[in-house]
Amino acid sequence: MIPIHELLSRIRWDATFARSRFVIGYWDRVAGQVLHADLREITWDADNPTFLDLMDEEGVAHSIPFHRVREVWRDGSLIWQRHPTGDLPA
């Protein structure tokens, strides 16, 4: 399996590959579940290249470390998953 940082770099820098719609699923410790966000709404943290920045619906900023990314969807199809279903951290 390709490491998440390599997949995210390809999405970010490969213009042909990035034409697709990508959604990431990340583990939210407060919600206790995987939440999904369109990659177009996420910015790359300039100070720490292993984090993604996201503004939620209430206007609260979140920094998501790469290790909390659990899945990546491309045009509605799951293309990358860190943990099999049911194997998420408690």
Side-chain angles (χ1 to χ4, degrees):
M1 173 172 55
I2 184 173
I4 190 61
H5 70 277
E6 289 182 19
L7 177 58
L8 292 173
S9 281
R10 180 169 183 208
I11 294 168
R12 186 175 183 190
W13 300 112
D14 182 342
T16 303
F17 187 67
R19 287 185 190 143
S20 300
R21 179 175 178 258
F22 290 92
V23 173
I24 65 159
Y26 64 95
W27 181 253
D28 185 288
R29 293 172 298 176
V30 175
Q33 63 183 355
V34 174
L35 300 180
H36 294 89
D38 191 310
L39 204 54
R40 292 175 292 196
E41 299 172 8
I42 292 174
T43 57
W44 308 93
D45 190 322
D47 296 328
N48 191 337
T50 62
F51 279 76
L52 302 169
D53 291 329
L54 170 68
M55 189 75 66
D56 70 14
E57 296 83 26
E58 287 114 29
V60 177
H62 299 274
S63 286
I64 304 164
F66 285 2
H67 71 267
R68 286 186 24 220
V69 175
R70 295 292 184 246
E71 54 195 33
V72 179
W73 298 78
R74 180 182 184 198
D75 295 330
S77 296
L78 183 65
I79 63 165
W80 186 92
Q81 187 174 31
R82 183 179 303 275
H83 294 287
T85 304
D87 191 24
L88 293 174

